[in-house]
Amino acid sequence: MSLNLDQHGHLANRAAWTTDWAEATAQADEIKLTKDHWQVIKAVQQLFDETEDTPPMRLLIKVLKQRLDADIDSRFLYRLFPDNPVRQASKYAGLPKPKHCM
């Protein structure tokens, strides 16, 4: 399996995704993935599997509130993924760059 990246640094082939790749990619972005990061990453992967698209921020927060913790909000996500929560979580999840992200 190839680890080719698209022009945005996301995996071109999701089947090539591994947790080791996610860890190394996050480390290159100076982020150490914690339990909270992994919960969000897995939720983004599940949403993508269900909808065949990456979720916009509002939908991601709504789903995280339902599935993980009612207190999750955008501040929580920005603490985990400071550059852009949906885009970074999607990147580490091995998913394409979200269509709604610049």
Side-chain angles (χ1 to χ4, degrees):
M1 266 185 269
S2 174
L3 288 180
N4 292 331
L5 303 179
D6 67 14
Q7 72 253 26
H8 306 289
H10 292 248
L11 278 177
N13 178 3
R14 181 180 178 201
W17 181 86
T18 66
T19 55
D20 289 339
W21 180 86
E23 292 275 358
T25 303
Q27 186 176 11
D29 292 341
E30 299 182 358
I31 293 177
K32 179 168 176 28
L33 297 180
T34 65
K35 177 185 167 211
D36 287 338
H37 288 95
W38 283 113
Q39 288 182 320
V40 174
I41 289 167
K42 295 295 183 187
V44 168
Q45 287 174 327
Q46 289 171 349
L47 276 170
F48 186 87
D49 291 342
E50 293 166 9
T51 65
E52 298 182 6
D53 200 4
T54 51
M57 181 74 128
R58 285 185 184 192
L59 175 59
L60 178 59
I61 291 170
K62 180 180 177 181
V63 169
L64 292 173
K65 283 178 174 281
Q66 292 171 346
R67 296 182 184 180
L68 299 178
D69 185 341
D71 293 330
I72 289 177
D73 60 11
S74 62
R75 289 179 303 227
F76 171 81
L77 293 176
Y78 272 101
R79 280 193 299 274
L80 296 176
F81 305 102
D83 289 338
N84 182 318
V86 174
R87 184 169 180 185
Q88 282 186 300
S90 296
K91 179 179 176 181
Y92 306 146
L95 303 175
K97 177 183 166 275
K99 295 173 190 165
H100 43 78
C101 290
M102 306 284 278

